[in-house]
Amino acid sequence: MNSDGLLNIYEQYYEAELKYGFFIKAKSWQSIGQVMFIAGIDEGQPLRGEPPYFNNPKVIVRLFYADSVSQITESTTSRVVALVDGGTYRYQPVV
């Protein structure tokens, strides 16, 4: 957690009880991302390295072009991206 109380993606993984599928958003996105997995880490496994950066592994995210999680359906347009800066505090949880 940074001085503003924000969590990076790796910290959010721990907040999600080591489960994938949680949603994130960046101010610059016109979409909502769902964390699919963190490279080299099976769901339920702890991250390697020291917090809060944990060696900064890639994070694979499905971006849904929707304004809220409740708008996401099977027909919502999406694409998969790899984030290489999951240790930054630009990605915030979507509740």
Side-chain angles (χ1 to χ4, degrees):
M1 179 180 306
N2 73 3
S3 61
D4 294 325
L6 302 177
L7 301 172
N8 68 33
I9 292 175
Y10 311 125
E11 293 166 322
Q12 291 177 56
Y13 173 66
Y14 277 90
E15 287 288 311
E17 300 179 355
L18 306 180
K19 295 189 186 323
Y20 294 133
F22 58 93
F23 291 92
I24 60 174
K25 186 160 179 81
K27 288 181 183 179
S28 61
W29 290 355
Q30 299 297 317
S31 56
I32 293 175
Q34 185 176 28
V35 174
M36 298 172 63
F37 63 91
I38 298 170
I41 305 297
D42 290 333
E43 185 174 62
Q45 287 184 327
L47 297 169
R48 295 180 201 92
E50 295 298 316
Y53 306 109
F54 299 98
N55 300 329
N56 212 32
K58 286 183 184 176
V59 180
I60 308 304
V61 174
R62 179 172 299 279
L63 292 180
F64 292 97
Y65 296 95
D67 294 321
S68 68
V69 173
S70 63
Q71 290 181 350
I72 297 172
T73 66
E74 289 182 16
S75 61
T76 302
T77 302
S78 67
R79 68 183 175 117
V80 175
V81 299
L83 305 177
V84 296
D85 60 350
T88 65
Y89 292 92
R90 65 181 290 223
Y91 306 105
Q92 292 308 302
V94 174
V95 288

